[in-house]
Coordinates of all heavy atoms in Angstrom, one line a residue:
A447 N 146.3 65.0 98.2 CA 146.6 64.1 99.3 C 148.0 64.4 99.9 O 149.1 64.5 99.1 CB 146.5 62.7 98.8
H448 N 148.0 64.3 101.3 CA 149.3 64.5 102.0 C 149.4 63.6 103.1 O 148.3 63.1 103.7 CB 149.5 65.9 102.5 CG 149.6 67.0 101.5 ND1 150.8 67.6 101.2 CD2 148.7 67.6 100.7 CE1 150.6 68.4 100.3 NE2 149.3 68.5 99.9
S449 N 150.6 63.2 103.7 CA 150.6 62.4 104.9 C 150.1 63.2 106.0 O 150.5 64.5 106.1 CB 152.1 62.0 105.0 OG 152.2 61.5 106.4
A450 N 149.5 62.6 107.0 CA 149.1 63.4 108.2 C 150.3 63.9 109.0 O 150.1 64.8 109.7 CB 148.2 62.4 109.1
R451 N 151.4 63.3 108.7 CA 152.7 63.7 109.4 C 153.1 65.2 108.9 O 154.0 65.8 109.6 CB 153.8 62.8 109.2 CG 153.4 61.3 109.6 CD 154.5 60.3 109.2 NE 154.0 58.9 109.4 CZ 154.0 58.3 110.5 NH1 154.4 58.7 111.6 NH2 153.6 57.0 110.5
E452 N 152.5 65.6 107.9 CA 152.9 66.9 107.3 C 152.1 68.0 107.9 O 152.4 69.3 107.5 CB 152.8 66.9 105.8 CG 153.7 65.9 105.1 CD 153.3 65.8 103.4 OE1 152.9 66.9 103.0 OE2 153.6 64.8 102.9
G453 N 151.2 67.8 108.8 CA 150.3 68.8 109.2 C 150.5 69.6 110.4 O 149.6 70.2 111.1
S454 N 151.7 69.5 111.0 CA 152.0 70.0 112.4 C 151.9 71.6 112.4 O 151.6 72.1 113.5 CB 153.3 69.6 112.9 OG 154.4 70.1 112.0
D455 N 152.0 72.2 111.3 CA 151.9 73.7 111.3 C 150.4 74.1 110.9 O 150.2 75.4 110.9 CB 152.9 74.2 110.3 CG 154.3 74.1 110.8 OD1 154.5 74.0 112.0 OD2 155.2 74.0 109.9
I456 N 149.5 73.2 110.7 CA 148.1 73.6 110.5 C 147.3 73.6 111.6 O 146.8 72.4 111.9 CB 147.7 72.7 109.2 CG1 148.6 72.8 108.0 CG2 146.3 73.1 108.8 CD1 148.3 71.9 106.9
A457 N 147.0 74.6 112.1 CA 146.1 74.8 113.3 C 144.6 74.6 112.9 O 144.3 75.0 111.8 CB 146.3 76.0 114.1
I458 N 143.8 74.0 113.7 CA 142.4 73.7 113.3 C 141.5 74.2 114.4 O 141.8 74.5 115.6 CB 142.2 72.2 113.1 CG1 142.3 71.4 114.4 CG2 143.0 71.7 112.0 CD1 141.9 70.0 114.3
D459 N 140.2 74.3 113.9 CA 139.2 75.0 114.9 C 138.1 73.9 115.2 O 137.4 74.1 116.1 CB 138.5 76.2 114.2 CG 139.6 77.3 113.8 OD1 139.9 78.0 114.7 OD2 140.0 77.4 112.6
Q460 N 138.0 72.9 114.4 CA 136.8 72.0 114.4 C 137.3 70.6 113.8 O 138.0 70.5 112.9 CB 135.6 72.6 113.7 CG 134.4 71.6 113.7 CD 133.2 72.4 113.2 OE1 132.7 73.3 113.7 NE2 132.7 72.0 112.0
I461 N 136.7 69.6 114.5 CA 136.7 68.3 113.8 C 135.2 67.8 113.7 O 134.4 68.1 114.5 CB 137.6 67.3 114.7 CG1 136.9 67.0 116.0 CG2 138.9 67.6 114.7 CD1 137.5 65.9 116.9
V462 N 135.0 67.0 112.7 CA 133.8 66.4 112.4 C 134.0 65.0 112.2 O 134.8 64.6 111.2 CB 133.0 67.0 111.2 CG1 131.7 66.2 110.9 CG2 132.5 68.4 111.5
I463 N 133.4 64.1 113.0 CA 133.6 62.6 112.9 C 132.2 62.0 112.6 O 131.3 62.0 113.5 CB 134.1 62.0 114.1 CG1 135.5 62.6 114.3 CG2 134.2 60.5 114.0 CD1 136.2 62.2 115.7
G464 N 132.0 61.6 111.3 CA 130.6 61.0 111.0 C 130.5 61.0 109.4 O 131.4 60.9 108.7
S465 N 129.3 61.1 108.9 CA 128.9 61.2 107.6 C 128.6 59.8 106.9 O 128.9 58.8 107.6 CB 130.0 62.0 106.7 OG 131.0 61.1 106.3
C466 N 128.1 59.8 105.7 CA 127.9 58.5 105.0 C 129.3 57.8 104.8 O 129.3 56.6 104.5 CB 127.2 58.7 103.7 SG 128.1 59.8 102.5
T467 N 130.4 58.6 104.7 CA 131.6 58.0 104.4 C 132.3 57.3 105.7 O 132.9 56.3 105.5 CB 132.6 59.1 104.0 OG1 132.0 60.0 103.0 CG2 134.0 58.6 103.5
N468 N 132.1 57.9 106.8 CA 132.8 57.4 108.0 C 132.0 57.5 109.3 O 132.5 58.0 110.3 CB 134.1 58.1 108.2 CG 135.2 57.6 107.4 OD1 135.8 58.4 106.6 ND2 135.6 56.3 107.5
G469 N 130.8 57.2 109.3 CA 129.9 57.3 110.5 C 129.4 55.9 111.0 O 128.5 55.8 111.9
Q470 N 130.1 54.8 110.6 CA 129.7 53.6 111.0 C 130.4 53.2 112.4 O 131.2 53.9 112.8 CB 130.2 52.5 110.0 CG 129.8 52.7 108.6 CD 128.4 52.0 108.5 OE1 127.7 51.5 109.3 NE2 127.9 51.9 107.1
L471 N 129.9 52.1 113.0 CA 130.5 51.9 114.3 C 131.9 51.7 114.4 O 132.5 52.2 115.4 CB 129.7 50.5 114.9 CG 130.0 50.2 116.3 CD1 129.5 51.3 117.3 CD2 129.3 48.9 116.8
P472 N 132.6 51.0 113.5 CA 134.0 50.9 113.6 C 134.7 52.2 113.5 O 135.8 52.5 114.0 CB 134.4 50.1 112.3 CG 133.2 49.2 112.1 CD 132.1 50.1 112.5
D473 N 134.1 53.3 112.8 CA 134.6 54.6 112.8 C 134.5 55.2 114.1 O 135.4 55.9 114.6 CB 133.8 55.4 111.6 CG 133.9 54.8 110.3 OD1 135.1 54.7 109.9 OD2 132.9 54.7 109.7
M474 N 133.3 55.0 114.8 CA 133.2 55.6 116.1 C 134.2 55.0 117.0 O 134.8 55.6 117.9 CB 131.8 55.3 116.6 CG 130.7 55.9 115.7 SD 130.6 57.7 115.8 CE 131.1 58.0 114.1
A475 N 134.4 53.6 116.9 CA 135.4 52.9 117.8 C 136.8 53.4 117.6 O 137.5 53.7 118.6 CB 135.3 51.4 117.4
A476 N 137.2 53.7 116.2 CA 138.5 54.2 116.0 C 138.7 55.6 116.7 O 139.7 55.9 117.2 CB 138.7 54.3 114.5
A477 N 137.7 56.5 116.6 CA 137.8 57.8 117.2 C 137.8 57.7 118.7 O 138.6 58.4 119.4 CB 136.6 58.6 116.7
A478 N 137.0 56.8 119.2 CA 136.9 56.7 120.7 C 138.2 56.2 121.2 O 138.7 56.6 122.3 CB 135.8 55.8 121.1
A479 N 138.9 55.3 120.6 CA 140.2 54.7 121.0 C 141.3 55.8 121.2 O 142.1 55.7 122.0 CB 140.7 53.7 120.1
I480 N 141.2 56.8 120.2 CA 142.2 57.9 120.3 C 141.8 58.9 121.4 O 142.6 59.3 122.1 CB 142.1 58.6 119.0 CG1 142.6 57.6 117.8 CG2 143.2 59.7 119.0 CD1 143.9 57.1 117.8
L481 N 140.5 59.2 121.4 CA 140.0 60.3 122.4 C 139.9 59.9 123.8 O 140.0 60.7 124.8 CB 138.5 60.8 122.0 CG 138.5 61.5 120.7 CD1 137.0 61.7 120.1 CD2 139.1 62.9 120.8
K482 N 139.9 58.5 124.1 CA 139.8 58.0 125.5 C 140.8 58.5 126.3 O 142.1 58.4 126.0 CB 139.7 56.6 125.5 CG 139.5 56.0 126.8 CD 139.3 54.5 126.8 CE 138.9 53.8 128.2 NZ 138.8 52.4 128.2
G483 N 140.6 59.2 127.5 CA 141.4 59.8 128.3 C 142.1 61.0 127.9 O 143.0 61.6 128.6
H484 N 141.6 61.6 126.8 CA 142.1 62.9 126.4 C 141.0 63.9 126.3 O 139.7 63.6 126.4 CB 142.7 62.8 125.0 CG 144.0 61.8 124.9 ND1 144.0 60.5 124.7 CD2 145.3 62.2 125.1 CE1 145.2 60.1 124.7 NE2 146.0 61.1 125.0
H485 N 141.4 65.2 126.1 CA 140.4 66.2 125.8 C 140.8 67.0 124.6 O 141.9 67.2 124.3 CB 140.3 67.1 127.1 CG 139.0 68.0 127.1 ND1 138.9 69.2 126.4 CD2 137.8 67.8 127.8 CE1 137.7 69.6 126.6 NE2 137.0 68.9 127.4
L486 N 139.8 67.5 124.0 CA 140.1 68.4 122.8 C 141.0 69.5 123.2 O 140.8 70.1 124.3 CB 138.8 68.8 122.1 CG 137.9 67.8 121.5 CD1 136.7 68.5 121.0 CD2 138.5 67.0 120.5
A487 N 141.8 70.0 122.3 CA 142.6 71.2 122.5 C 141.6 72.4 122.7 O 140.5 72.4 122.4 CB 143.4 71.5 121.3
P488 N 142.1 73.4 123.5 CA 141.2 74.5 124.0 C 140.3 75.1 123.0 O 139.3 75.5 123.1 CB 142.1 75.5 124.6 CG 143.3 74.6 125.1 CD 143.4 73.6 124.0
N489 N 140.9 75.3 121.8 CA 140.0 76.1 120.8 C 139.5 75.2 119.7 O 139.1 75.7 118.7 CB 140.9 77.2 120.2 CG 141.4 78.2 121.2 OD1 140.6 78.7 122.0 ND2 142.7 78.6 121.2
V490 N 139.3 74.0 120.0 CA 138.8 73.0 119.0 C 137.4 72.5 119.4 O 137.1 72.0 120.5 CB 139.7 71.7 118.8 CG1 139.1 70.8 117.8 CG2 141.1 72.3 118.3
R491 N 136.4 72.6 118.5 CA 135.1 72.1 118.6 C 135.0 70.7 118.0 O 135.6 70.4 116.9 CB 134.1 73.0 117.9 CG 134.2 74.4 118.3 CD 133.1 75.3 117.6 NE 133.2 75.4 116.1 CZ 134.0 76.1 115.5 NH1 134.8 77.0 116.1 NH2 134.0 76.1 114.1

């Protein structure tokens, strides 16, 4: 476990939002609140 603040040097290729762990409506709402008005980085799926 690390703080999310420690990850600035870790480039990523993909995000997955869902699963039995975090696929409920409040999870979708939390993701949508961040993504609204934004677009994924060019090389991120």
